[in-house]
Amino acid sequence: MSGVDVFRALHRNRLPGDPLVLPGPWDAVSARVCEEAGFPALATPSAGIAAALGHQDGHTPADEMFAAVARVCRAVDIPVSADVEGGYGLESKELVERLLEAGAVGCNLEDSENGALNDPHRHADRLAEVRHAAGDRLFVNARVDTFVRGDGDPEQAIARAALYVAAGADCVYPIGAPVEVLPLLRSGIQGPLNVLGKLDGEGPSPTALGELGATRVTFGPGLQRRAALALKDMAAGLRNR
């Protein structure tokens, strides 16, 4: 079974309260740590990689992002999905080729640009192009930015999600959706639902999110930011010895 087939299978037949949990490594070391912890797959965060490379979120050059994703993929023997933001202006065929060359089995594609939502029909056309270019070689996670770039209307999020699923998206990611609307989103969206989780003590557990409808839970740059804070504390301790 290929890596993308394994990845797709991990999304199927998830029981309530048992979502697929995908930590977000930002380099080879963090990827190996997550693999050794027993996770079956990983999902790189664009913001975490940007921070590690010294860039602001959303300003990582495409070549640097794909090189970072490739290092993560080479470091582990489990499937890796990559957050490639809006696709860096690449034509769909080139975007797919670069993801596959990096070793990724899937990708996130967001539906906003420069802080504003894209036209959903135009974005659905983009997703359809990516699906056509990739065939079954990539698992496409379509991010829905209604809750972070729009008015937060769950019905609008459901409508956008329907267009993206029809265009060939394997999963939908309404990033930033409030916990209380997850049951509504689950009832209105076909297929797997990606929910943004928080680390311990910062929000509902992955189990709780699964019970509310999440098929899978990702954490964005949460691990990278938590690691940076831990390093800050250690550095301060060394400085003050």
Side-chain angles (χ1 to χ4, degrees), residues 6-25:
V6 170
F7 194 62
R8 280 203 175 90
L10 289 170
H11 291 77
R12 298 189 188 112
N13 304 316
R14 307 298 309 192
L15 297 174
D18 182 32
L20 174 62
V21 177
L22 299 175

Side-chain angles (χ1 to χ4, degrees), residues 5 12 35 48 60-61 73 76 94 109 186-187 192 201:
D5 290 335
R12 298 189 188 112
E35 181 182 39
T60 306
C73 293
V76 296
E94 183 179 359
L109 281 172
R186 176 66 286 169
S187 66

